[in-house]
PDB file of all heavy atoms in Angstrom:
ATOM      1  N   ARG A 229      15.384   1.044  -6.210  1.00 95.00           N
ATOM      2  CA  ARG A 229      16.416   0.686  -7.194  1.00 95.00           C
ATOM      3  C   ARG A 229      17.784   0.579  -6.523  1.00 95.00           C
ATOM      4  O   ARG A 229      18.575  -0.324  -6.834  1.00 95.00           O
ATOM      5  CB  ARG A 229      16.453   1.732  -8.325  1.00 95.00           C
ATOM      6  CG  ARG A 229      15.285   1.620  -9.291  1.00 95.00           C
ATOM      7  CD  ARG A 229      15.508   2.472 -10.536  1.00 95.00           C
ATOM      8  NE  ARG A 229      15.406   3.897 -10.250  1.00 95.00           N
ATOM      9  CZ  ARG A 229      14.284   4.592 -10.303  1.00 95.00           C
ATOM     10  NH1 ARG A 229      13.145   3.993 -10.631  1.00 95.00           N
ATOM     11  NH2 ARG A 229      14.269   5.891 -10.028  1.00 95.00           N
ATOM     12  N   ILE A 230      18.062   1.484  -5.579  1.00 95.00           N
ATOM     13  CA  ILE A 230      19.330   1.438  -4.855  1.00 95.00           C
ATOM     14  C   ILE A 230      19.424   0.170  -4.006  1.00 95.00           C
ATOM     15  O   ILE A 230      20.489  -0.433  -3.866  1.00 95.00           O
ATOM     16  CB  ILE A 230      19.481   2.688  -3.963  1.00 95.00           C
ATOM     17  CG1 ILE A 230      19.569   3.947  -4.834  1.00 95.00           C
ATOM     18  CG2 ILE A 230      20.722   2.582  -3.074  1.00 95.00           C
ATOM     19  CD1 ILE A 230      19.512   5.236  -4.043  1.00 95.00           C
ATOM     20  N   LEU A 231      18.273  -0.247  -3.463  1.00 93.00           N
ATOM     21  CA  LEU A 231      18.227  -1.458  -2.627  1.00 93.00           C
ATOM     22  C   LEU A 231      18.123  -2.731  -3.465  1.00 93.00           C
ATOM     23  O   LEU A 231      17.959  -3.819  -2.904  1.00 93.00           O
ATOM     24  CB  LEU A 231      17.028  -1.380  -1.673  1.00 93.00           C
ATOM     25  CG  LEU A 231      17.116  -0.338  -0.549  1.00 93.00           C
ATOM     26  CD1 LEU A 231      15.749  -0.122   0.091  1.00 93.00           C
ATOM     27  CD2 LEU A 231      18.139  -0.775   0.496  1.00 93.00           C
ATOM     28  N   THR A 232      18.185  -2.584  -4.777  1.00 91.00           N
ATOM     29  CA  THR A 232      18.092  -3.686  -5.748  1.00 91.00           C
ATOM     30  C   THR A 232      16.793  -4.481  -5.636  1.00 91.00           C
ATOM     31  O   THR A 232      16.786  -5.698  -5.820  1.00 91.00           O
ATOM     32  CB  THR A 232      19.309  -4.644  -5.629  1.00 91.00           C
ATOM     33  OG1 THR A 232      19.294  -5.297  -4.353  1.00 91.00           O
ATOM     34  CG2 THR A 232      20.622  -3.903  -5.815  1.00 91.00           C
ATOM     35  N   VAL A 233      15.708  -3.779  -5.322  1.00 90.00           N
ATOM     36  CA  VAL A 233      14.388  -4.413  -5.383  1.00 90.00           C
ATOM     37  C   VAL A 233      14.076  -4.674  -6.850  1.00 90.00           C
ATOM     38  O   VAL A 233      14.298  -3.798  -7.700  1.00 90.00           O
ATOM     39  CB  VAL A 233      13.310  -3.493  -4.761  1.00 90.00           C
ATOM     40  CG1 VAL A 233      11.918  -4.077  -4.975  1.00 90.00           C
ATOM     41  CG2 VAL A 233      13.582  -3.291  -3.285  1.00 90.00           C
ATOM     42  N   PRO A 234      13.577  -5.871  -7.207  1.00 86.00           N
ATOM     43  CA  PRO A 234      13.319  -6.199  -8.610  1.00 86.00           C
ATOM     44  C   PRO A 234      12.421  -5.171  -9.302  1.00 86.00           C
ATOM     45  O   PRO A 234      11.465  -4.661  -8.703  1.00 86.00           O
ATOM     46  CB  PRO A 234      12.632  -7.560  -8.532  1.00 86.00           C
ATOM     47  CG  PRO A 234      13.122  -8.153  -7.256  1.00 86.00           C
ATOM     48  CD  PRO A 234      13.283  -6.993  -6.318  1.00 86.00           C
ATOM     49  N   TYR A 235      12.737  -4.881 -10.548  1.00 86.00           N
ATOM     50  CA  TYR A 235      11.979  -3.885 -11.314  1.00 86.00           C
ATOM     51  C   TYR A 235      10.508  -4.266 -11.417  1.00 86.00           C
ATOM     52  O   TYR A 235       9.633  -3.397 -11.458  1.00 86.00           O
ATOM     53  CB  TYR A 235      12.591  -3.737 -12.702  1.00 86.00           C
ATOM     54  CG  TYR A 235      11.888  -2.712 -13.566  1.00 86.00           C
ATOM     55  CD1 TYR A 235      11.960  -1.354 -13.256  1.00 86.00           C
ATOM     56  CD2 TYR A 235      11.141  -3.098 -14.680  1.00 86.00           C
ATOM     57  CE1 TYR A 235      11.312  -0.407 -14.038  1.00 86.00           C
ATOM     58  CE2 TYR A 235      10.498  -2.162 -15.469  1.00 86.00           C
ATOM     59  CZ  TYR A 235      10.589  -0.823 -15.145  1.00 86.00           C
ATOM     60  OH  TYR A 235       9.940   0.114 -15.915  1.00 86.00           O
ATOM     61  N   SER A 236      10.227  -5.562 -11.433  1.00 81.00           N
ATOM     62  CA  SER A 236       8.836  -6.027 -11.547  1.00 81.00           C
ATOM     63  C   SER A 236       7.995  -5.523 -10.375  1.00 81.00           C
ATOM     64  O   SER A 236       6.787  -5.299 -10.520  1.00 81.00           O
ATOM     65  CB  SER A 236       8.789  -7.556 -11.603  1.00 81.00           C
ATOM     66  OG  SER A 236       9.375  -8.124 -10.440  1.00 81.00           O
ATOM     67  N   PHE A 237       8.623  -5.343  -9.203  1.00 83.00           N
ATOM     68  CA  PHE A 237       7.925  -4.778  -8.048  1.00 83.00           C
ATOM     69  C   PHE A 237       7.826  -3.265  -8.151  1.00 83.00           C
ATOM     70  O   PHE A 237       6.776  -2.675  -7.890  1.00 83.00           O
ATOM     71  CB  PHE A 237       8.651  -5.157  -6.747  1.00 83.00           C
ATOM     72  CG  PHE A 237       8.050  -6.320  -6.030  1.00 83.00           C
ATOM     73  CD1 PHE A 237       8.466  -7.607  -6.302  1.00 83.00           C
ATOM     74  CD2 PHE A 237       7.060  -6.130  -5.092  1.00 83.00           C
ATOM     75  CE1 PHE A 237       7.909  -8.685  -5.639  1.00 83.00           C
ATOM     76  CE2 PHE A 237       6.496  -7.195  -4.417  1.00 83.00           C
ATOM     77  CZ  PHE A 237       6.928  -8.488  -4.701  1.00 83.00           C
ATOM     78  N   LEU A 238       8.914  -2.630  -8.518  1.00 89.00           N
ATOM     79  CA  LEU A 238       8.964  -1.169  -8.529  1.00 89.00           C
ATOM     80  C   LEU A 238       8.013  -0.546  -9.536  1.00 89.00           C
ATOM     81  O   LEU A 238       7.529   0.569  -9.334  1.00 89.00           O
ATOM     82  CB  LEU A 238      10.396  -0.700  -8.812  1.00 89.00           C
ATOM     83  CG  LEU A 238      11.448  -1.075  -7.767  1.00 89.00           C
ATOM     84  CD1 LEU A 238      12.807  -0.534  -8.182  1.00 89.00           C
ATOM     85  CD2 LEU A 238      11.068  -0.555  -6.390  1.00 89.00           C
TER      86      LEU A 238
END
Side-chain angles (χ1 to χ4, degrees):
R229 286 192 289 271
I230 295 171
L231 290 166
T232 65
V233 173
Y235 181 68
S236 59
F237 261 90
L238 296 180

